[in-house]
Structure formats: structure tokens, C-alpha cells
Amino acid sequence: MRNRIFRSIYTEAVDHVKPFESIPRPFQLPFVGNWHLYKLGIYNPRKYHQVLSNLYKKYGPVVYEKVGLDEPLIHIFEPEDVQTVYRNEDKLPEIFPLNKFARDYRKREDYSAGLGNTNGDEWYRFRNGIRDFMMKTKCVQGFLKETETVTDDLIEIMKKESADNEGRIVDLRQLLGRWSIEVAGEICFNKRLGYLCGPNEALGRKMVQANKTVFRTGALLKFALPFYNYVRTPKWTRQVECEHLIHGTALEHANEAFSKIDQLMKSNSLKDGQYKFLITLLQKDELSRRDVATLSISLFGDGLSTIVPVLITMLYCLATNPRVQEKAYEEICRVTGDKDQNLDAGIVNQLTYLKAIMKETFRMYPNGVEIARIIKKPLILSNYHIPAKSNLSMNMQIHFKSPKYFSDPEVFKPERWIRGSKDSNVHPFLFAPFGVGARTCDGRKFAEKDLHVSLFKILKNFKLVYPPDGPCIDFVFDTLLFPDKDLPIRFLPR
């Protein structure tokens, strides 16, 4: 009797699950799906983050979308559904690539696809090789000195340029981009590349511009029919030229570093601390030299599309919130005491408010719009049946300014992330800018390190001011989200 009742209840629950075919969706055409909506400008591909928000408002927590000839995407928006996805993963979660054109380029050129574009055993081997190094705070903080040295040079350039331009930095994204790859070069290749200032500054500028083109063109091709598979369109040709410059230059630096390591080891003259990033990875049984080169190339360029836009946005938030800025500056003075004191792990670990500022910036202005998964087994999400092998796009950022989850959601308030505050206990699967679980961003600790050091140094040396009539920040979708214009932040000496 008891078993019959249980079966009856279970059958009734299953009967109420809605079939996959009933998932709401925008109007579709045969073969190309929703492609026409982007082509005709009904949906703006440069404002994809707004498209996602509108899809949620119009169609609800689960939306089916098919763009061009690609596999359909199932957008999910609710943190409870995201939690279900994560909790049903095994040790080898699968994703589709953030930029499929970059993946296809690497495959064609016989480069390793890297962590962000691989699945299965190959991904697991990569991940296992870096787990005890790149993803440990203590290990990454071992590179604070290199980061600080380059950032000190950045500060000197900013002092001169801001003094010459009434507090303005003419092209902040370009300058911070060269700083980012200079830091990465110092860490990955044990070498000052001269991209920030020096003999290779012109090449550094080209690298920053090429990265910008790759991400912008990649975003546009995301919403295009794949004619480039058959005819080399101008966009694709330009994309390949930029990828050649970025990968070719980075690979050149990696091979030069490998050659010097071999020479130093052969002559028994390798010193402690030299090439520690590459040598640590080369000592991992799971990683080949080719794998290590791939990881160093990724770290070399990834900051241009992640660290740089986030840092610019943080500076905007501080310039437009003087109270928050002053509180952060007071924390820096309190923690360091001596204004000439060098950064170390002990100081960084005490910068609680500075870290809260970074978190609040991610909430107000996220860098990414989706976290990808290819689910391996059927799931029920918001009462819809989602079959195995479906491509899921998890879009939680639409709730980051919702009063349902955050008090005063439109207010920039880092205090909400201090332990004990009302918002510090937000749903754990709602706010996770670096992802959750096994496929957490592998460069997270390096990104946090660069952001902590740069913000610390900038606030220590400058007071940030924003003109009352200055434009509000807005973003465009270029594979990730970037400020859509130069922001008139003033850097005034402390």
C-alpha cells in the first residue's frame, strides 16, 4: 500500500514536468533559428547582456535560443537551477568554448586548445597539473614582487601623463593593457618585455589592439552564419592576423625562455627563483613542454580581456563614490603604516575593504555574461525537462541588481560583502564571478593578485575624481563586457 502511494505521487510529479519542446523561445526561422533577430538589429549583438535580460523578462527562467547553424542554447537564469546543474556534475564537467573562433584557429594552427577549450581527460590532465600551483593563493602570492615592480613603473608613467593632461590618462585601456602583459611577461618568461615603456612599446600597443580586435570580431561572428568556414571573409582574415600576432609573439617568448632554462640547467647555473613559473610547471608529470607553453601563453594574454576592463570599472566606481575611495585609502594607510613599505602577503591579506570593493564591482558591472555547460544527464530545471547533451548558458548576472537578492541594489556598497552584513549570505550559486566547482577559472588567483596590487598602488598615489557632467559607464559585448568609451577619470596626486 505504502509503495503504491509513493509510486502514485512520483508519477504525478513526473507528469507535471513540462517537455523540452515547450520551453519558451523567440520566433524562429527554419535552419537559422533566431539569427534574423540579430541580423535585422531587433536584438543588438553588441548589447547581448541586455538581450539576455529581456529574454528573461519576456519568456521566464528557461529560454531556448538557436542562432544560425550552431547547436541550440538553453538559457537558465535562476540560482536554484544553477545549483542543480553544479550538483549533478561529475569530476569532468564539459563546456562549450567562450570564443569558438579562437578555438578553431588554435586547432587549425596545431596549437593546444588550452584549459578553456578542452573537455574530458585532456582537460583533467591540464587541471591536475596546475591545481597545486596556479590555484593556490600562497603560491600565487610568491609573484607579488614581480607584479609590484612593474606596477611601480606604471605609476610613474601615470604621474607624468596625468600631470601633462590635467589629470587625464589619454587612453587608459591601452596603458593598462601594456601593464598587464608586462606583468605576465615578467612572471611567465622571467623577462621585462619593454611593452609598458621601452624599446618594444610599439609592439605592446599592437598586441593590445590585436586582442581588442580578436574579442570584438569573435563576438560579431558569434551571431553570424559561418561563411568563414568556406570563404575567408574580411572579418575572419583580420581575426587570423591578430591571432597570429598574439600567439606568434607569445610563443616566441616561451621558446626563448625554454632555451635559456635548458642552457642554465646544463651549465648548472640556474639560480633560485629564476623562471619559477615555467620550471614549477615543467616539473609536473601531467604536463608536457607544449602544455606549459600553452598555459604561459594563456596567462600572457588573458588579462587584457579580464583584468584590464575590471580594473577600469573599479577605478570608475571609486572615482564616482568618494566615500568608498577615502575609506579604502584609510585602510591602505592603516595597514602599511610606512608609506614606502613594499607589498607582501601579510599586507594583501589585511586589505579586507579593498577586496570587498573588487567584489562589489563584479556585482554592479560583471565582466562576463554566461557560464557554459554541456550537461551529461537529463535534468529538470524550473520544471522543464532538459535532455542530456544540451548546451546550457547560465546567466545569473541579470539578478545582480535585483532587490530580491540585494538591499539597495543600485548603490555601490562594498560593505555588503563584509562578513556579518545582510548581503554577505547571498545565495551561493547566484554570485560566482569566477565560476563554481571543478571548472572554476584557472587564472583567478593571478587576476586577483594583479587587481589587488594595481588598486593598492593607484589609490596610494592618486585621488580619483570624476567630472560631475561625465558620462555614466556603459558596456558593450565583445565576447566579454568592456566599457564602451574612454572614461574621464582624473588622477590627482596625493
Side-chain angles (χ1 to χ4, degrees), residues 401-470:
K401 293 184 182 179
S402 167
K404 177 181 176 181
Y405 295 102
F406 298 99
S407 60
D408 301 320
E410 297 291 339
V411 178
F412 186 79
K413 191 167 65 173
E415 289 82 1
R416 74 175 77 246
W417 300 110
I418 304 298
R419 183 173 295 179
S421 74
K422 181 180 177 182
D423 290 340
S424 64
N425 293 320
V426 68
H427 194 295
F429 291 90
L430 170 66
F431 185 78
F434 293 98
V436 173
R439 294 210 73 139
T440 301
C441 173
D442 51 288
R444 172 181 180 171
K445 299 299 181 182
F446 280 94
E448 290 175 336
K449 167 189 64 66
D450 287 359
L451 289 169
H452 294 156
V453 173
S454 56
L455 199 59
F456 173 92
K457 291 285 183 179
I458 289 171
L459 284 179
K460 198 171 183 181
N461 287 276
F462 299 102
K463 182 175 182 179
L464 309 178
V465 176
Y466 204 75
D469 59 347

Side-chain angles (χ1 to χ4, degrees), residues 48 63-66 71-75 96 370 391-393:
Y48 184 50
V63 181
Y64 178 106
E65 187 182 33
K66 186 180 187 302
E71 290 293 317
L73 268 186
I74 311 302
H75 297 290
F96 52 89
E370 59 193 355
N391 288 352
L392 294 190
S393 171

Side-chain angles (χ1 to χ4, degrees), residues 232-257:
R232 293 307 179 211
T233 63
K235 279 190 178 71
W236 177 253
T237 300
R238 178 62 180 147
Q239 183 90 335
V240 169
E241 288 173 354
C242 291
E243 291 277 13
H244 276 333
L245 176 64
I246 295 168
H247 280 268
T249 304
L251 189 60
E252 209 174 284
H253 291 311
N255 287 333
E256 181 187 354

